Amino acid sequence: MRAPSELPRGIAAIEFDSSQISAAVLRLAAGIARDLPAEPVVLIGVLKGALFFTADLARALPTETDARIDFIAVSSYGNATRSSGEVRLLKDTSESVEGKNVVIVEDIIDNGLTLRYLQELLGHRKPASLRSCVLLDKPYRRQVDVKVDYIGLTAPDTFIVGYGLDYQEKYRNLPYLARLHDRVVEEGGVVAPEASTVLSDGHRRE
Ligand code: IMP
Ligand code: MG
């Protein structure tokens, strides 16, 4: 466990380190390979959050797998930590999904609206099969019923950043999944990460 003083500003604790992430990714890749042994598969990563996850998942598949990679980008309206449920398509896939075995690769499922939107969008395009793979799940936050075929890790009820996930576009580059300081994320409002800093002596500067 890293001391708070060694963590970047605004980060309270590491929830899953890179070895825990790798183990989860390997497990997920094994599940996908088991279900689609000899068929071509298209991993559709949901930008930007699933960028690293998609890359690592693709490389964890057996080398004999005929895997293709595509990306789609969506945004949900809302503030920095609460999505409003209104999903908007920012970038479509570059290849058609018709007749293909598609796996949607998403960073995190929270209320479920983003994944439901993507399943409906891609489901209408006649893929041979459509599965969903998420790295992090917050099952207790679900507002709509969504089928998820592969789930990596169950996330605590706190805002998670790192390994692609952001807070106002920050922290995506962290190699682990971490929790923000409570002061950074306040119910109904947003406090800048700079607002609370743990000093090297463990005291907090507000
Ligand atoms: P949903 O539509 O509520 O299921 O939210 C899914 C999207 O919200 C994810 O793709 C993320 O972009 C974002 N999101 C939800 N929870 C978190 C979190 O804890 N950290 C970072 N992004 C999150
Ligand atoms: Mg996302």
Side-chain angles (χ1 to χ4, degrees), residues 76 83 106-115 138 158-161 165-166:
S76 49
S83 74
E106 173 65 307
D107 53 1
I108 184 166
I109 177 166
D110 185 302
N111 61 34
L113 289 158
T114 305
L115 194 57
K138 291 182 176 175
T158 172
F159 199 74
I160 302 288
V161 296
L165 287 87
D166 75 309

Side-chain angles (χ1 to χ4, degrees), residues 17 22 63 93-94 114 116 136-137 147 155 160 175 179 192 201:
D17 64 20
S22 303
T63 48
T93 59
S94 54
T114 305
R116 187 179 70 170
L136 289 169
D137 186 15
K147 179 171 158 277
I160 302 288
R179 178 160 47 87
D201 62 2

Side-chain angles (χ1 to χ4, degrees), residues 11-12 40 49 51 56 61 68 76 92-93 98 106 108 112 114 124 133 152 158 165-166 170 174 177:
I11 300 295
L51 174 65
D56 287 344
L61 289 171
R68 328 260 167 105
S76 49
D92 211 333
T93 59
E98 191 171 337
E106 173 65 307
I108 184 166
T114 305
H124 281 120
C133 175
T158 172
L165 287 87
D166 75 309
K170 205 167 139 63
L174 299 180
L177 289 157

Side-chain angles (χ1 to χ4, degrees), residues 78-153:
N79 70 22
T81 61
R82 289 274 181 268
S83 74
S84 65
E86 212 180 310
V87 185
R88 190 164 54 117
L89 183 65
L90 300 178
K91 178 218 165 306
D92 211 333
T93 59
S94 54
E95 303 292 324
S96 163
V97 301
E98 191 171 337
K100 296 181 181 152
N101 293 296
V102 171
V103 180
I104 300 171
V105 183
E106 173 65 307
D107 53 1
I108 184 166
I109 177 166
D110 185 302
N111 61 34
L113 289 158
T114 305
L115 194 57
R116 187 179 70 170
Y117 170 86
L118 290 167
Q119 289 179 350
E120 279 175 10
L121 181 82
L122 299 171
H124 281 120
R125 297 179 179 175
K126 305 190 181 75
S129 64
L130 181 62
R131 292 181 168 85
S132 300
C133 175
V134 305
L135 179 62
L136 289 169
D137 186 15
K138 291 182 176 175
Y140 43 82
R141 301 229 343 128
R142 208 76 86 247
Q143 285 173 21
V144 289
D145 199 25
V146 190
K147 179 171 158 277
V148 187
D149 304 274
Y150 311 100
I151 292 172
L153 301 159

